[in-house]
Amino acid sequence: MSAPQRPELGQVVGEAEFSFSRDSLVRYAGASGDFNPIHYRDDVAEGVGLPGVLAHGMLTMGAAVQPVVDWAGDPGRILDYQVKFTRPVVVDAQLGATITVTATVGAVDEATARIDLTVMFDGQTVLGKAQVVVSLAP
Amino acid sequence: MTVNPELQGRVFPPTAPYVVAREKIREFSRAVFASSPINHDPEAARAAGYADVVAPPTFPVVIQESTLAQLLSEPDAGIDFSRVVHGNQRFSYTRPIVAGDELTATLTVTSVKAIAGNAMVTAESSVVDAVGEHVVTAVSTLVVRGADS
């Protein structure tokens, strides 16, 4: 697979929208092994003072990097990926929750590009300092 | 804070080897909306120079889980799991994870801090392959909410 082209600073390299349903949360629980019931039971979520059933932070983190993987052309090009979890994503039983991701070049040198992610839900950012370092090596 | 500050610097025994299955990578990929053929199709992965399908960037969370379980069950840790929220997460790769890898993780508690009535515990899981070569380090900061927050 060929290397991604060296991008320009500030260039948007990917945009995506992900719709999480309760099914997505159950699927992620099974795949990841995180069976905390706040991710699938309304009564438990309310019992611990949450506004509702929440998406796993790691599900949001896992989906948000995908536009960068698609741009890079290879998941193996991701060298480093970090996020700060700043706000919860509440997943309505009927409507689900839709997050939007914009991936912008924050820094670039000969060997790597740092892609900064803006991840929004319900008009607010849910991940802070979401940065992906991608290898540009041939 | 109830979290034991003496946890800082503690190193846990390596976890039992985790063998990465092709179908587990596919299952995880579907769950995080990863659609690259390199995550799903061994032929596409081989064409890209890999031995088998490649895991998505956040896959090490599956292995990290067993290390965090060690931390939470440490008798003197003082961490009430029902008050834990995930604060930060980072993955730093030396090479990607590929189906067939046999991975072992070693957890080190790198920092325990008290901030505004909460405790912040940062733990680093270093993941190596069957020959002991570094693959990825997963760093998590857990926020343990204090009694009145």
Side-chain angles (χ1 to χ4, degrees), chain A residues 1 18-20 24 27-28 30-34 36 58-59 61-63 65-66 69-70 73-76 78-85, chain B residues 24 27-28 30-36 38-39 47-48 50 54-58 61-62 65 81 86-93 96 145:
Chain A
M1 178 117 358
F18 298 99
S19 293
F20 298 157
S24 319
R27 184 185 286 268
Y28 185 77
S32 67
D34 180 348
N36 187 331
M58 288 305 304
L59 169 57
M61 183 180 186
V65 75
Q66 294 309 321
V69 171
D70 292 341
D74 181 344
I78 307 303
L79 303 177
D80 194 285
Y81 179 28
Q82 63 175 314
V83 308
K84 187 179 171 71
F85 300 102
Chain B
K24 186 68 188 181
E27 179 194 13
F28 191 89
R30 286 193 295 272
V32 296
F33 301 79
S35 56
S36 167
I38 296 172
N39 293 129
Y50 300 103
V54 175
T58 58
V61 73
V62 173
E65 189 86 10
F81 187 53
H86 203 167
N88 300 282
Q89 180 69 41
R90 180 171 196 168
F91 301 100
S92 299
Y93 278 93
R145 290 183 293 148

Side-chain angles (χ1 to χ4, degrees), chain A residues 5 7-8 10-15 67-68 70-72 102-105 113 115-117 134:
Chain A
Q5 282 215 322
E8 299 292 321
Q11 184 184 335
V12 173
V13 296
E15 284 179 295
V68 183
D70 292 341
W71 167 72
T102 308
T104 311
V105 179
I115 311 297
D116 298 340
L117 304 177
V134 179

Side-chain angles (χ1 to χ4, degrees), chain B residues 24-76:
Chain B
K24 186 68 188 181
I25 288 183
R26 287 172 163 163
E27 179 194 13
F28 191 89
S29 299
R30 286 193 295 272
V32 296
F33 301 79
S35 56
S36 167
I38 296 172
N39 293 129
H40 297 273
D41 176 8
E43 288 308 317
R46 282 194 272 272
Y50 300 103
D52 207 320
V53 295
V54 175
T58 58
F59 182 82
V61 73
V62 173
I63 297 146
Q64 185 192 17
E65 189 86 10
S66 57
T67 62
L68 293 179
Q70 289 177 309
L71 172 62
L72 296 170
S73 64
E74 188 78 336
D76 67 344

Side-chain angles (χ1 to χ4, degrees), chain A residues 25-130:
Chain A
L25 306 192
V26 172
R27 184 185 286 268
Y28 185 77
S32 67
D34 180 348
F35 291 100
N36 187 331
I38 63 163
H39 303 302
Y40 52 88
R41 276 185 54 181
D42 296 271
D43 57 333
V44 173
E46 280 158 26
V48 294
L50 296 171
V53 162
L54 307 184
H56 304 72
M58 288 305 304
L59 169 57
T60 303
M61 183 180 186
V65 75
Q66 294 309 321
V68 183
V69 171
D70 292 341
W71 167 72
D74 181 344
R77 288 190 171 275
I78 307 303
L79 303 177
D80 194 285
Y81 179 28
Q82 63 175 314
V83 308
K84 187 179 171 71
F85 300 102
T86 53
R87 280 197 193 86
V89 174
V90 179
V91 181
D92 184 83
Q94 288 178 347
L95 304 173
T98 298
I99 63 162
T100 59
V101 181
T102 308
T104 311
V105 179
V108 64
D109 62 28
E110 287 308 314
T112 62
R114 192 193 81 215
I115 311 297
D116 298 340
L117 304 177
T118 304
V119 183
M120 307 281 291
F121 165 66
D122 209 12
Q124 295 188 300
T125 62
V126 293
L127 298 180
K129 207 191 175 196

